[in-house]
Amino acid sequence: GPIFIVGMPRTGTTLVERIIGTHSQVRALGELGLFGRLMVRGVKELARTPQIPVGDRVKLTSQLDYRKVGENYIAGVRDRRISGEPFFTDKLPYNYLNIGPIHAALPNAKIVVVRGGGHGAVNHGCTEGLADAFLIKGTAAGLDTSCTTKAPLTPFVLSLP
């Protein structure tokens, strides 16, 4: 079955996939993007038009047949699982936006959420002030970076059912 590895970019999703992919029963498939494409296709079928305003797309996702989306997803990765391993990874970081639909479509899928600050890029509101100060001063010399030491550490990996 599928193992979705999700998180913000630059948080270690590739490393986590490589670690999980070393297991003999797992095939690492990389960033598939298939699940999102299947949702878009389903919404277009419901709307009966390819041109759908964004707000309407979101509303139509509640009407999707997620069982069908899940079946189409499994069928869509079948040819990539050439070695026959029982598990495979889908490491598209932005699938974190689809955790709810993924769970609805594939209730037995594993979802691994890799949390972190994207190599420290987001320090709980601290970064914006540092960036502004850097742009105003034109140098990093003398910047007050004490806010970076106050940011709570987040767990590296959180697994959902």
Side-chain angles (χ1 to χ4, degrees):
I3 302 169
F4 289 89
I5 301 168
V6 303
M8 295 297 292
R10 314 299 315 155
T11 56
T13 54
T14 300
L15 175 62
V16 170
E17 181 188 43
R18 287 185 179 166
I19 291 168
I20 292 172
T22 63
H23 194 283
S24 63
Q25 294 188 25
V26 177
R27 172 90 169 168
L29 298 181
E31 298 182 9
L32 298 178
L34 177 61
F35 193 86
R37 287 193 304 274
L38 290 171
M39 285 184 56
V40 169
R41 183 187 311 157
V43 164
K44 287 179 179 179
E45 288 172 5
L46 285 171
R48 296 187 177 99
T49 178
Q51 303 300 324
I52 310 162
V54 173
D56 292 341
R57 286 184 225 164
V58 173
K59 290 176 190 170
L60 287 170
T61 61
S62 67
Q63 298 174 32
L64 285 173
D65 179 353
Y66 283 106
R67 182 193 52 75
K68 182 179 175 185
V69 172
E71 289 171 358
N72 289 338
Y73 178 84
I74 295 299
V77 298
R78 190 166 289 127
D79 64 332
R80 296 175 187 223
R81 297 173 62 199
I82 55 175
S83 303
E85 295 89 344
F87 299 99
F88 63 93
T89 63
D90 182 340
K91 188 210 74 85
L92 187 67
Y94 291 111
N95 267 338
Y96 74 87
L97 296 169
N98 296 324
I99 288 177
I102 287 169
H103 184 66
L106 300 157
N108 294 321
K110 301 297 181 200
I111 302 172
V112 179
V113 178
V114 181
R115 297 179 58 189
H119 293 293
V122 182
N123 282 310
H124 304 278
C126 171
T127 305
E128 296 83 9
L130 287 174
D132 290 344
F134 174 77
L135 291 173
I136 291 167
K137 289 178 133 189
T139 178
L143 285 181
D144 178 11
T145 60
S146 62
C147 63
T148 62
T149 63
K150 298 173 186 165
L153 295 176
T154 56
F156 182 66
V157 176
L158 170 69
S159 181
L160 299 176

